[in-house]
Amino acid sequence: MATVLLAEDDTAIAQPLARALEREGYEVVVRTDGVSALQAALSGNVDLLVLDLGLPRADGLEVARRLRAAGSALPVLMLTARRDEVDFVVGLDAGADDYVGKPFRLAELLARVRALLRRRYSADLAASGVRLELASHRAYCDGEEVHLTNKEYALLRLLLEHAGDVVTRQDAAEHVWGDPEMAGSKTLDMHISWLRRKLGDPAQAPRKLVTVRGVGFRFERG
Amino acid sequence: MRRRILVSTLTAVLLAVGILVVPLLLLVHRYVVDGGRLWAAGLIVVLAVVAVVVAMVVAARRARETVRPLAELAADAARLAAGDLGPTGRRYVAEELDDLADALDSAAIRLGELVRRERQLAADVSHQLRSRLTALSMRLEEVAAVADPAVRAEAEAALDQVDRMVHIVDELLDQARTERAHNAVEIDMAEQLSALRTDWDDAFRLSGRQLHLDAPDGDLGPGLRARATPGHVAQVLGVLIENALQHGAGAVTVAARAHGEHVVVEVRDEGVGVPDPLVPLVFDRGVSGGDGTGIGLSVAGALVEADSGRLELRSAHPAVFAVYLPRISAD
C-alpha cells in the first residue's frame, strides 16, 4: 500500500488527518518541520507528500522548491491556510502538484490524494494529440507547447481527465471557478472557444473539443 | 512661489530705484547747467535700468535656488501620498527644510511599518482561525462517521456551522483586502521597468555593474499591465535591486512576464545567493535592509501583499526574488 508523508506541525490537525489517511489504508509518516520533512521526502520510501505551508525551519514552499531542485518527482499536495488565488499560483510554481485550502472536507482531500497517487503511476494526460504535462503545468498540442492561462489549463485538465465522457457545464463551473453559478455564464463558453483556438480546433466543426448541446462538453479520445 | 519671489523683488527694486532716481533728476534739473542736463539725466536713467536688470537676474537665480528644495519636498510628499514609502534621506542646508525632510522620512517609515503590522495581523488571524477550524471540522467528521444516526445528524449540523464560519472569515478578509488595495490602478510594466533605468543608472555606474531589463511586449499586445498602487511597484523593485547591489554580484536582471492571471517580475543577480541559514528569515523584520536608506524586504513584502500580490524568494542560489501582481489581461 502507498505511503503518505504528512508534513504538518500542528498536532491538532496532524493527528486526525493521519488517522483519516490510515483509515483509507495508507501507511502514514508524520514530520513536524520542513527540514526533516524534506529528508523523509528524499528518502525514496514515500509515494506522496501532503505538505503544510506553515512549517518551522523551512516553510512548505521552500521544501517543495528544494525537493524539485533535487530532481524529485514525488507528488506534492499542498495544504495551506492562505487561500488567495495568488497563493495557489505561487504554490504550483514552487513545485506542488495540487493544492487544498484550509479548512477542507476530508472527502475532498482524500479524493485529491487518490488522484495524485493514480497519476503517479499513469502517464501524463493526453487525448487527440493534446498532452498535459502535469508536473510542469505545461500543455502541448501536436508536440508544440501551447501557453494557457490558469483557468484554461484547469478547464483542459478537467476535460482530459474525462476524455471521451461528457463534462457538464455545472462540473466545469465548479471545478474551474469554484462557483456553480458560472455554469450559465458566457465566461465558460469564451474559455472553451479560446481553448479551441489555441488547440487549432475549428470552432464551426470542432473535432477535439466538442459541444454536447444542453449538457456540456466532451474531449474526444482521438 | 518662484513668481511671487520675483514680483516682490521687482517691486522692492523699483521702489528703491524710484526713491533714488526721482530726487536725483530734480537735483539735475535744479543745479546742472543747461548743456549737461540732458546728458546727466540720461546717465541716471540708464544706470537705473541697469540696476533693475541686474537685480532681476540675481533675484531670478535666488528664487530658483530657494524653490528647488521645496519642489523636491513637494514631490517627495506626493510620492508618499501615492504609496511610495521609502525614506529619501534627502538633506538641505536650511534647518527648516531639513526638519520637513526629516518629518517626511519618519512618516514614510512609520507608514511602512503600519502596513507591515497590519498585513502580519491579518495573516496571523487568518492562519490561526483557519487552522483551528480545520482541526475542529476534522474531529467533527470523525464523529459524523460513527453509526448512530442521531449523533451523525448533530455532527453534520455542527459541520454546517463550521462552513458558515469559514465563509464569514473569508468575507471579512476579502473586505479588508479590497479596502487595502483601494489605491491600486492599472500599471504599465514596460514603463515601470524603463523608469528603473533612470533611477538606478548612477548607482550601477558607480559600482561598475550592469542592469538588464527584460520586458516582453511583442506577443503581449498593448503591453503587460498589472493592478497595483502607484509607487509600490517602483519601491519594491528598488528594494530588490538595492539588495542585489549590496549582497549580490555581477549583473542584475529585472524581467517581467505574464503568468496566467498574474504578472511576475523577477529580480536576479549572478552572486552566490542567500546563505542557507538565512533563507527562512529573509522576509523577517530587521534581517535585511531597513537601515534608514531603504524599507527592507519585510515591508516590501507587505506592500506587495497589500496589492493582493506576493513577494517570494524563488531561488536561493543564485538569489531570485519574484513579485507576483494581479494582471490586467488584454482579452
Side-chain angles (χ1 to χ4, degrees), chain B residues 8-26 41 43-56:
Chain B
S8 55
T9 314
L10 184 62
T11 318
V13 169
L14 283 176
L15 273 175
V17 168
I19 288 168
L20 269 174
V21 167
V22 172
L24 270 177
L25 287 177
L26 285 176
L43 182 66
I44 287 167
V45 168
V46 168
L47 281 176
V49 168
V50 169
V52 169
V53 168
V54 168
M56 285 324 289

Side-chain angles (χ1 to χ4, degrees), chain A residues 56-134:
Chain A
R57 293 181 71 197
D59 72 13
L61 290 171
E62 187 56 27
V63 171
R65 283 188 198 110
R66 288 203 220 163
L67 189 67
R68 295 302 180 232
S72 169
L74 182 71
V76 174
L77 175 60
M78 217 170 238
L79 284 187
T80 173
R82 309 192 74 174
R83 310 206 301 179
D84 293 336
E85 196 178 318
V86 63
D87 292 311
F88 288 70
V89 178
V90 168
L92 294 175
D93 282 355
D97 297 284
D98 206 350
Y99 198 103
V100 177
K102 284 179 184 174
F104 46 83
R105 283 301 179 91
L106 276 174
E108 184 197 352
L109 182 120
L110 294 173
R112 303 229 186 174
V113 166
R114 274 196 303 276
L116 279 176
L117 284 170
R118 209 169 38 235
R119 209 188 291 164
R120 178 164 168 76
Y121 302 110
S122 67
D124 294 328
L125 288 172
S128 295
V130 176
R131 185 167 61 85
L132 283 193
E133 218 178 81
L134 301 162

Side-chain angles (χ1 to χ4, degrees), chain B residues 3 37 50 53 58 64 84 103 105 111 133 263 274 291 301 306 326 330:
Chain B
R3 196 197 176 106
R37 207 178 269 169
V50 169
V53 168
V58 171
R64 230 188 350 259
D84 183 339
D105 278 1
L111 274 175
L133 286 169
V263 169
V274 184
D291 52 2

Side-chain angles (χ1 to χ4, degrees), chain B residues 131-259:
Chain B
S131 297
R132 301 292 48 88
L133 286 169
T134 309
L136 179 62
S137 112
M138 270 191 303
R139 292 212 142 77
L140 284 170
E141 285 202 73
E142 288 187 320
V143 176
V146 302
D148 187 338
V151 174
R152 197 185 312 155
E154 280 303 301
E156 292 289 352
L159 276 168
D160 281 346
Q161 291 301 313
V162 171
D163 285 349
R164 285 176 61 177
M165 194 139 156
V166 172
H167 191 66
I168 290 170
V169 171
D170 284 349
E171 272 192 349
L172 286 174
L173 289 169
D174 258 0
Q175 217 173 324
R177 188 173 39 233
T178 318
E179 277 166 28
R180 257 198 318 275
H182 73 285
N183 276 331
V185 295
E186 211 174 304
I187 301 240
D188 187 315
M189 294 313 292
E191 270 173 31
Q192 285 289 327
L193 260 59
S194 49
L196 290 178
R197 174 75 69 206
T198 334
D199 292 350
W200 289 92
D201 231 14
D202 289 346
F204 275 88
R205 226 194 333 262
L206 272 176
S207 63
R209 291 169 63 183
Q210 282 191 310
L211 173 65
H212 297 306
L213 301 175
D214 183 9
D217 349 64
D219 55 336
L220 290 161
L224 192 50
R225 294 176 169 279
R227 182 170 294 283
T229 305
H232 279 191
V233 181
Q235 174 94 43
V236 169
L237 293 178
V239 170
L240 296 177
I241 290 174
E242 195 173 299
N243 190 65
L245 273 177
Q246 248 175 38
H247 305 292
V252 178
T253 306
V254 183
R257 66 191 162 85
H259 182 48

Side-chain angles (χ1 to χ4, degrees), chain A:
Chain A
M1 197 60 210
T3 303
V4 174
L5 171 60
L6 174 58
E8 166 67 80
D9 63 318
D10 190 334
T11 47
I13 295 170
Q15 281 173 357
L17 189 50
R19 280 200 294 271
L21 288 164
E22 278 161 0
R23 276 200 302 276
E24 288 287 296
Y26 302 117
E27 199 161 308
V28 181
V29 179
V30 180
R31 289 289 179 273
T32 53
D33 72 85
V35 176
S36 65
L38 183 66
Q39 271 167 6
L42 288 170
S43 70
N45 300 326
V46 296
D47 300 291
L48 177 96
L49 169 58
V50 176
L51 180 61
D52 177 49
L53 247 171
L55 290 174
R57 293 181 71 197
D59 72 13
L61 290 171
E62 187 56 27
V63 171
R65 283 188 198 110
R66 288 203 220 163
L67 189 67
R68 295 302 180 232
S72 169
L74 182 71
V76 174
L77 175 60
M78 217 170 238
L79 284 187
T80 173
R82 309 192 74 174
R83 310 206 301 179
D84 293 336
E85 196 178 318
V86 63
D87 292 311
F88 288 70
V89 178
V90 168
L92 294 175
D93 282 355
D97 297 284
D98 206 350
Y99 198 103
V100 177
K102 284 179 184 174
F104 46 83
R105 283 301 179 91
L106 276 174
E108 184 197 352
L109 182 120
L110 294 173
R112 303 229 186 174
V113 166
R114 274 196 303 276
L116 279 176
L117 284 170
R118 209 169 38 235
R119 209 188 291 164
R120 178 164 168 76
Y121 302 110
S122 67
D124 294 328
L125 288 172
S128 295
V130 176
R131 185 167 61 85
L132 283 193
E133 218 178 81
L134 301 162
S136 63
H137 224 250
R138 288 177 206 269
Y140 297 88
C141 181
D142 299 319
E144 292 272 357
E145 187 173 357
V146 183
H147 295 280
L148 300 178
T149 65
N150 282 346
K151 292 279 184 254
E152 290 167 353
Y153 180 90
L155 183 57
L156 181 58
R157 179 168 156 181
L158 178 71
L159 288 161
L160 283 174
E161 276 169 350
H162 300 88
D165 297 331
V166 177
V167 171
T168 64
R169 296 181 66 94
Q170 277 76 18
D171 278 351
E174 257 169 60
H175 272 86
V176 180
W177 284 274
D179 177 7
E181 307 264 324
M182 293 292 285
S185 87
K186 284 217 80 72
T187 313
L188 174 56
D189 295 292
M190 280 160 75
H191 277 77
I192 290 286
S193 78
W194 289 331
L195 269 181
R196 281 193 184 122
R197 200 186 312 155
K198 289 186 177 179
L199 301 175
D201 204 18
Q204 298 311 315
R207 284 190 306 266
K208 298 172 185 164
L209 208 178
V210 182
T211 304
V212 181
R213 239 167 244 304
V215 187
F217 307 95
R218 182 180 66 231
F219 208 94
E220 301 293 9
R221 274 186 195 284

